[in-house]
Amino acid sequence: MLADRFDHEINVVRAGRYHGWRGDFWPPAHSYSVIPLDLGPAAQEVVAELGPHLLTGLADLRDAVEDQWTAVRGGEDPGRTRFPRPAPAAEAMRRIAALMPPGPDRTALEIRARALLEGYSDEDLQALVGIEEDVVVVAGRIATWIGKENTGLPTAFAAVREPEQQQQVTAALATLDAVRAYVRDLHPDLELSPVPAFVACRLFFMAGEGERHPKHIAYFLPEDEGIKRSPFKKTYYFGNTHRVLLETVGRSLAERHLAVGHLFDPTEPGSRHIPTLGVLGHEIGHGVRRPGTRFKPLNAADRWASVVLQEVLADVFGALVLADVWVRELGVDQDDAIAYYLAECLRYADRGSGSFPDSDGMLLQLSYLVEVGALDLTEDDGVRLAGEPGAVVAGLRSLARVLADAVLTGTAEPAVALWRTFGPRNGALAPLVDALRPGALPTVDYLQEALSAATPTR
């Protein structure tokens, strides 16, 4: 199963065909670099509020979800959104809910516990979008990486809201009129779909597929639970997972391979909100449309390219909202925003090609920026992407207009042509790929020692 992680042709043929994969690490690789993230401090904050029985409830939920993960991987599959035997997980969630005072957190958890047994109703999903939880616990058949398999696997997570980051989300969402005006200036046909509810939080518990590797920095519910096209959407963004990746992987890659006059440092006070705003911008970018936009023809022509290009749309428009709109509206530093964006491009690109659509999408964006001259790929002092932040913003504006005309038209041919021109067959990044290839794949490992010491009731 081992292959060069940048061998697009081999990897994309294998994509979605890892149904029997039981290993904790994916994709198959010669080596991994493991980055520890201790969830204990966040967990202890919640235990101090709800009591020590929370750890027992989470241990029960972990065991139930792991049992269902094993069952589904072994071939038991009652349907995309269901556990083979949901009762133990639902009971664990009800016990955790009983530890919470009456209010939004308990109500949301009771809805989710019932949904494990009965499924969601539209009324449930509408209620969950409107509830502003401080502590959230979720369990279900949540999506894994599309390159791994095209379905959801049993997962549970718990997180606590980050008030300061949530204030930034609220401030950013108040600028949506300015965002709409901006995208119309890029292309007069562009419009915005409604933005999902967005919760900035710190993860303190993970089990099941979400505990395998690599880790997600956000889940998009209920779509990731297998409920497509629901109008009631909510994103849970794990800021602590994202930050440790930026502080380790992103920073290291940027130091080695970027020369844009500025290095993004997520530990600096002035930069601490940019990752949250960057992910929120990505969510807004997913909602950029033209009146005739539909992806069915592109899905039929090339499903992988379709998913990649939809991620590119979200990346590009999200980066422009961050670096061109929120500079004015929220006081974001543009140089910081572009340094963050390019560090993220490198972090995703480092995962390879043909296994992750979002990684292929970042490679496409970097290829475009190099080809149009917004970045220069230099080899004088190691392999570096060099340029000025303002030129990168101009290059992103250019790409946004190309995407509007090639991908948002409702037809397949121009989108496939864009993919073939700037996708993995484009050789503009060959020296960078060669420089990335020898490194081990980085992955976050959650430390949950307090949970390991808890004694389940079962």
Side-chain angles (χ1 to χ4, degrees):
M1 296 293 289
L2 296 179
D4 176 357
R5 72 180 188 272
F6 289 98
D7 191 333
H8 178 84
E9 301 305 327
I10 289 177
N11 293 332
V12 82
V13 167
R14 293 177 176 176
R17 300 183 182 182
Y18 291 85
H19 308 301
W21 185 257
R22 297 293 190 93
D24 283 351
F25 291 87
W26 182 87
H30 292 281
S31 61
Y32 289 85
S33 172
V34 177
I35 304 157
L37 174 59
D38 188 1
L39 302 186
Q44 289 304 325
E45 287 181 24
V46 183
V47 167
E49 180 181 347
L50 300 181
H53 291 301
L54 173 66
L55 293 175
T56 301
L58 291 175
D60 285 340
L61 182 57
R62 173 201 61 199
D63 290 354
V65 168
E66 292 291 343
D67 176 70
Q68 294 308 283
W69 186 90
T70 300
V72 172
R73 297 309 267 166
E76 295 184 54
D77 193 350
R80 167 64 178 87
T81 64
R82 307 303 297 272
F83 284 0
R85 292 175 295 282
E91 178 58 29
M93 292 179 74
R94 282 196 292 261
R95 287 198 298 273
I96 296 170
L99 301 174
M100 298 175 171
D105 295 356
R106 179 189 282 191
T107 298
L109 188 44
E110 289 173 342
I111 291 172
R112 293 190 183 281
R114 185 177 67 248
L116 276 177
L117 300 171
E118 303 171 5
Y120 289 110
S121 66
D122 282 346
E123 291 75 18
D124 289 338
L125 294 173
Q126 185 174 18
L128 288 170
V129 165
I131 293 173
E132 296 186 359
E133 308 124 295
D134 287 320
V135 176
V136 57
V137 182
V138 174
R141 290 282 295 275
I142 300 178
T144 187
W145 303 98
I146 190 172
K148 185 176 184 180
E149 67 176 80
N150 210 358
T151 187
L153 292 168
T155 297
F157 70 85
V160 58
R161 181 186 294 261
E162 289 195 309
E164 184 181 2
Q165 298 301 322
Q166 196 65 43
Q167 289 175 3
Q168 287 295 306
V169 170
T170 300
L173 292 176
T175 72
L176 285 179
D177 284 345
V179 173
R180 291 187 185 95
Y182 176 80
V183 298
R184 282 196 300 271
D185 283 344
L186 289 171
H187 194 292
D189 278 351
L190 292 179
E191 54 193 28
L192 283 187
S193 300
V195 181
F198 190 99
V199 183
C201 50
R202 275 189 302 157
L203 192 70
F204 67 86
F205 163 77
M206 184 66 77
E209 178 65 14
E211 172 68 339
R212 273 65 185 184
H213 300 272
K215 301 295 194 291
H216 295 258
I217 65 170
Y219 284 123
F220 314 104
L221 307 183
E223 181 175 352
D224 280 354
E225 296 172 283
I227 301 171
K228 306 297 183 183
R229 293 177 289 280
S230 171
F232 310 115
K233 300 176 182 180
K234 198 167 193 174
T235 296
Y236 292 96
Y237 161 65
F238 310 137
N240 49 342
T241 304
H242 194 196
R243 281 192 293 273
V244 75
L245 287 166
L246 287 165
E247 290 169 10
T248 55
V249 183
R251 184 179 180 88
S252 175
L253 289 168
E255 287 174 341
R256 293 200 306 271
H257 300 300
L258 285 182
V260 291
H262 186 75
L263 185 69
F264 178 71
D265 184 354
T267 66
E268 289 182 358
S271 302
R272 67 187 183 277
H273 301 310
I274 284 181
T276 301
L277 293 174
V279 177
L280 177 62
H282 181 93
E283 277 288 83
I284 292 171
H286 267 302
V288 175
R289 294 285 187 272
R290 291 176 66 176
T293 296
R294 58 193 184 101
F295 295 110
K296 187 175 180 179
L298 181 54
N299 287 337
D302 190 326
R303 173 62 177 160
W304 187 260
S306 179
V307 179
V308 171
L309 289 169
Q310 289 177 61
E311 291 301 318
V312 172
L313 283 161
D315 290 338
V316 171
F317 284 101
L320 285 170
V321 169
L322 177 66
D324 233 7
V325 179
W326 289 337
V327 166
R328 303 188 306 273
E329 302 291 330
L330 302 177
V332 170
D333 181 270
Q334 188 175 82
D335 289 359
D336 235 9
I338 290 303
Y340 160 80
Y341 162 74
L342 292 174
E344 284 289 80
C345 283
L346 286 174
R347 183 173 72 82
Y348 280 88
D350 186 52
R351 294 193 305 194
S353 179
S355 296
F356 302 93
D358 43 5
S359 295
D360 280 1
M362 292 296 199
L363 286 162
L364 185 151
Q365 291 164 66
L366 291 176
S367 293
Y368 184 91
L369 292 171
V370 169
E371 292 281 35
V372 300
L375 288 171
D376 292 322
L377 198 152
T378 69
E379 300 181 66
D380 298 333
D381 181 25
V383 178
R384 292 183 182 272
L385 295 168
E388 296 295 328
V392 174
V393 173
L396 287 170
R397 292 186 197 123
S398 167
L399 181 52
R401 295 182 176 102
V402 169
L403 291 165
D405 286 330
V407 183
L408 295 179
T409 60
T411 57
E413 291 79 5
V416 171
L418 179 66
W419 164 244
R420 290 176 177 167
T421 301
F422 297 103
R425 294 181 178 86
N426 180 289
L429 299 180
L432 177 63
V433 167
D434 288 342
L436 295 174
R437 182 177 278 113
L441 269 173
T443 183
V444 171
D445 187 39
Y446 293 140
L447 305 183
Q448 305 186 76
E449 295 304 314
L451 185 65
S452 299
T455 302
T457 59
R458 295 187 294 121

